[in-house]
Amino acid sequence: MQFDQILQYTLSGLSTGAIYALIGIGFSIIYNATGIINFAQGEFVMLGGLLTLSCLELLALPLWAAVPCAIAVSTVVGILFERLAIRPLKQPTPINLVIITIGGSILIRGLAMLVWGKDTHAIPAFSGDVPISVGGATILPQHLWILAITLVTICINKIYFYHTISGKAMRACSYNRRAAGLVGIDVRRMVLFSFIISSAMGAVAGIIVAPLTMTAYDVGVMLGLKGFCAAIIGGMSSGLSTVIGGLLLGVLESLGAGLISSGYKDAIAFIILLLILFIRPQGLFGKADSERV
Amino acid sequence: MKKMSLLFSSICLSLICATASFASGTIKIGALFAVTGPASFLGEPEKKTLELLVKELNEKGGINGQKVEAVIYDTGGDATKAVQLATKLIKDDKVSVIIGPSTTGESMAVIPVAEKEKIPLISCAAGIKITDPAKHWVFKTPANDHVAAEKILNYMTSKKQKSIALLTVTDGFGASGREQIKVLAKQKGFTVVADEVYGPKDTDMTAQLTKIRGIKPDAIICWGTNPGPAVVTKNIKQLGIKTPVYMSHGVASKKYIELAGADAAEGVMLPAGKLAIYDALPKGDVQYKLLKEYDQGYKKMYGVEASTFGGYAYDAFLLVTGAIKKSGSTPEQIRNGVEQTSKLVSISGVFNMSTKDHNGLDLSAFEMVKIVKGDWTLLK
């Protein structure tokens, strides 16, 4: 086994892992604010990619304008989803909410199929596709975009959650919703915020990955599940541990496919998920927390 | 009240009987296509093609003065539903022949029904199991996957390429291709040095390709349908792999070149059904005129290019109408007519059926093509 092969597996894994991490954080932000797993998260990834395509082709916008447009529209979809499906619920028990998100994801996917058809679509890379050689391994400029944008998004998140009032308020909700409500935090507004942030992040993930993987109405399913795995590995934290969870998952998948067998690639991800749930339900890096288990 | 409803239903019944007897001048063709669901990329063009053909035929006055009526049901790609609908076609609609289903799984499930009820079934699915061994009432129009695989291996022999790296998708199409390439490779003296797979929804195959790059095979054969092979093609370019790449006939459409990008797809070789590449065919080709007519007629009616998959329904329709013209329109006569088909020029190829061969296509159904500057070039 040569060094350049291992390096290639690792680099490929890191860039896929970065996408998982972005989607995973989307899961955990909503989980922390509302206590539900939003299974429609993957659909925002799909919307990001397909809306960019429409902005580029139908509206003939340049890429730098198409991307913010797509993120904005996906965020509006996220807001509508929260307003129309989550908020009006009379009995917001977690199980009801989770089922609603599953229903919502099927609805969004179905609508996307009607709007964009069943075909796969390609989106041009942000800055060409001439491979860059890194010590025997090769990556594309798009991989660098993915890693950089993931890093920036996570930094912005960090600043928001630790250095702004509404970010702190949202953290307060995640610790204890009732207490947060008692000290005057509008919990329902925080829930809306959490949907805004995570749908925007999902869309970002979908946009930056689309030039590499192409996009279609049903890409959200698998990416959503992998993002969910990343969030579980990270113990549903909206910070660094989910990022590490995503990267770890990406690298293990890629190494597994390269060194063991490509047939077990997806199995590896889900075996890790099960192992974590059995052995360390609080996540790989979390302290045992009796409330959350 | 009860009496009223009884009366009402008996009126309805007599009306149905009346329409049935009025319609006795038409020939009923049943069709089962996966118009919705995961295999809709097959079923949708098949349905549209059949509707187009029936319309054209009736405008021309039908077969031997009789109009043709197509009863088309959507199976959603579900084998259980396909069986129910097949029974419905036979018992309620009283069709003389069934075209479809679109997928191998559904076809295998419907075969016992067709055999039992003695109704000819012209499947539009590619699986080799459908007509091997030949079943009395069952035919199929797509060429076997192994014909495409053989085409590639024959070409590789002429280029003295000996070792193959396989990269196949883990669905029915990929698994069947993988098995058949391995068998054929053994027969023809090739060595399979790598046998990698990827999932239908996978978005990055660099891990598998890095492994293949390390093994240095003479050629890579990738077997799958879009979008997987397009991702593979992009990854190959990213990794700077210079090994010749062969794709399956499953990506023989302009969509593949569009997805992978003309730049990355440059030099990729594949066996293509003639419909996808009819522009590049020599003008003397027997199929040229028909292919052009089909593509242009389809484009005019539906605004999109005709696909190979729609062509399978076209073949089935030509086989059936040819048989009716020749032998008659009862199920038995249609079956015999289809089995006696010889030199029928159609979309997928030139059909020569026999009691042993219920597919009737050979190596000439495919042409080896190479992608040059985003377009097909014939390889000789």
Side-chain angles (χ1 to χ4, degrees), chain A residues 128-207:
Chain A
D129 43 16
V130 182
I132 304 164
S133 175
V134 185
T138 43
I139 54 170
L140 292 173
Q142 191 66 27
H143 288 123
L144 297 179
W145 278 105
I146 291 178
L147 292 171
I149 291 177
T150 309
L151 197 70
V152 170
T153 316
I154 288 160
C155 289
I156 293 175
N157 243 328
K158 197 86 184 165
I159 294 170
Y160 173 74
F161 277 111
Y162 285 86
H163 300 283
T164 65
I165 289 293
S166 70
K168 286 176 181 168
M170 203 181 278
R171 267 170 61 221
C173 290
S174 81
Y175 289 128
N176 190 325
R177 294 183 64 169
R178 208 180 152 80
L182 284 174
V183 296
I185 294 170
D186 185 349
V187 176
R188 294 186 11 146
R189 212 171 87 203
M190 291 301 128
V191 171
L192 179 64
F193 275 7
S194 73
F195 270 86
I196 292 176
I197 298 171
S198 60
S199 55
M201 285 181 70
V204 169
I207 293 166

Side-chain angles (χ1 to χ4, degrees), chain B residues 309-322:
Chain B
F309 311 121
Y312 300 153
Y314 197 112
D315 301 332
F317 187 76
L318 275 196
L319 284 170
V320 169
T321 48

Side-chain angles (χ1 to χ4, degrees), chain B residues 78-296:
Chain B
D78 178 352
T80 319
K81 214 169 156 194
V83 171
Q84 287 167 355
L85 290 171
T87 318
K88 191 175 173 207
L89 280 175
I90 297 168
K91 303 272 188 202
D92 298 350
D93 299 306
K94 310 245 183 283
V95 297
S96 334
V97 55
I98 297 177
I99 295 178
S102 312
T103 66
T104 304
E106 292 170 274
S107 302
M108 293 313 286
V110 170
I111 285 171
V113 182
E115 289 278 298
K116 189 168 146 257
E117 303 290 342
K118 303 196 187 333
I119 295 289
L121 181 77
I122 324 281
S123 169
C124 294
I128 188 168
K129 294 174 283 181
I130 298 169
T131 51
D132 183 30
K135 295 158 193 77
H136 194 71
W137 293 92
V138 182
F139 302 85
K140 77 174 179 108
T141 54
N144 287 322
D145 292 341
H146 77 83
V147 176
E150 200 172 338
K151 199 88 188 176
I152 295 179
L153 294 183
N154 285 350
Y155 183 77
M156 285 176 64
T157 312
S158 75
K159 292 283 166 209
K160 307 219 163 28
Q161 293 159 350
K162 280 282 150 211
S163 59
I164 310 170
L166 277 181
L167 181 57
T168 56
V169 61
T170 53
D171 62 12
F173 181 70
S176 134
R178 175 169 167 261
E179 263 168 51
Q180 288 172 30
I181 294 171
K182 279 167 122 177
V183 172
L184 279 170
K186 209 169 181 186
Q187 283 171 9
K188 291 178 181 278
F190 290 92
T191 42
V192 177
V193 287
D195 180 10
E196 297 295 321
V197 295
Y198 65 88
K201 295 254 165 274
D202 279 6
T203 50
D204 180 85
M205 282 64 136
T206 45
Q208 291 93 320
L209 288 165
T210 306
K211 198 167 166 187
I212 289 173
R213 184 175 65 177
I215 296 169
K216 296 193 179 64
D218 291 342
I220 300 172
I221 301 181
C222 170
W223 208 264
T225 46
N226 284 327
V231 178
V232 170
T233 313
K234 284 184 172 190
N235 290 164
I236 285 175
K237 175 154 187 268
Q238 180 205 333
L239 294 174
I241 296 174
K242 299 275 175 262
T243 315
V245 179
Y246 297 92
M247 289 283 165
S248 75
H249 54 302
V251 295
S253 70
K254 283 281 163 68
K255 186 81 197 167
Y256 161 69
I257 305 180
E258 183 198 319
L259 288 177
D263 206 20
E266 181 77 20
V268 170
M269 290 166 280
L270 54 109
K274 288 187 179 170
L275 178 64
I277 49 147
Y278 76 87
D279 273 338
L281 286 177
K283 297 286 173 281
D285 194 280
V286 283
Q287 287 173 260
Y288 180 77
K289 192 166 153 272
L290 187 75
L291 295 169
K292 194 173 171 185
E293 269 174 24
Y294 172 44
D295 189 46
Q296 290 178 347

